[in-house]
Structures are given as structure tokens and as C-alpha cells.
Amino acid sequence: MTHRFKDLEIWEQSRLLCTEIYLISAAFTENEKFGLTNQLRLASVSIPSNIVEGSSRSSNKEFNRFLDFSLGSAYEVETQLLISSDLKFITTDQVQQILPKLNNIIKMILSFKKAIK
């Protein structure tokens, strides 16, 4: 059973979050280009990407596995945002602006996982 990923709110919200992460991380120092900047961007891209890949799978069990990957990436983003704040690459206000959106995505992924079991 495949799902139309473009109809999934979790895909839409995680895609928008990814865009926001890219914009915020653009201000990181140049020496972080291949460090935290790259890690944060990769993890944020991984959230909607795994939703898309899972939606193309033939079973809900497989889709659930890719939702787990998305969930892991969301937690990576949270950790990397906090580290970025600790290192003063971003402000606490920026983190507080993004975390509710990220937490909402995490809740949506968890709810969707339960719904398709």
C-alpha cells in the first residue's frame, strides 16, 4: 500500500522545517561548513526524505521502518540545534522558534506510525 507523500502533513511540515534549518545554518561560521552545518542540514533533509521513501514501499510495515528513520533524524536535528546554540552559532530565541515545530513533527510521526500499524 503506497501513500501519496504530497498529501501527508508530516511531509509538508518537515519540508518547511528543512528550509528553515538551511536558512538559519547559512549564518554558521565558515569553518563549520563541513561540520555541524553539514550534519544539521543532512539530518533535516533526512526527515522528509525518509517519509517519501517509506511512502513508496509496498507495506505499512516497511513504511513504519522509514518513519523510524525520520524520527531518529528529527531527534538528531534537536540535538544539533541545542549544540549550535551552546556554541553560539544560533540564538536561544532561534532554537525556541524551531523546537515547537520540530516537536510537532515528532508527534505527527508518532501518531502516523500508530495509525498505519
Side-chain angles (χ1 to χ4, degrees):
M1 165 183 231
T2 60
H3 298 266
R4 289 181 35 87
F5 70 89
K6 290 181 182 176
D7 294 337
L8 298 174
E9 183 69 19
I10 53 174
W11 173 78
E12 176 71 21
Q13 293 304 312
S14 61
R15 187 179 59 82
L16 293 172
L17 179 79
C18 182
T19 302
E20 196 169 344
I21 295 293
Y22 262 76
L23 294 172
I24 286 172
S25 63
F28 285 16
T29 62
E30 183 63 28
N31 65 334
E32 277 302 316
K33 185 175 181 182
F34 300 107
L36 196 52
T37 304
N38 192 44
Q39 286 291 112
L40 184 55
R41 288 177 172 187
L42 286 172
S44 70
V45 168
S46 182
I47 301 169
S49 297
N50 277 301
I51 292 167
V52 169
E53 189 166 353
S55 73
S56 71
R57 299 302 168 141
S58 59
S59 73
N60 283 345
K61 182 179 179 181
E62 287 182 280
F63 194 179
N64 239 309
R65 188 166 63 96
F66 282 91
L67 290 172
D68 281 336
F69 298 151
S70 288
L71 193 58
S73 294
Y75 288 125
E76 282 184 56
V77 168
E78 182 175 7
T79 298
Q80 293 159 358
L81 284 171
L82 294 171
I83 292 169
S84 298
S85 176
D86 293 343
L87 295 171
K88 307 290 188 235
F89 294 155
I90 57 177
T91 66
T92 303
D93 288 344
Q94 287 173 304
V95 173
Q96 295 308 316
Q97 181 183 6
I98 295 173
L99 284 184
K101 297 171 190 175
L102 183 61
N103 288 331
N104 188 49
I105 290 166
I106 290 168
K107 287 177 188 173
M108 287 192 299
I109 293 171
L110 291 170
S111 293
F112 193 59
K113 282 177 57 56
K114 286 179 186 174
I116 65 169
K117 271 198 169 179

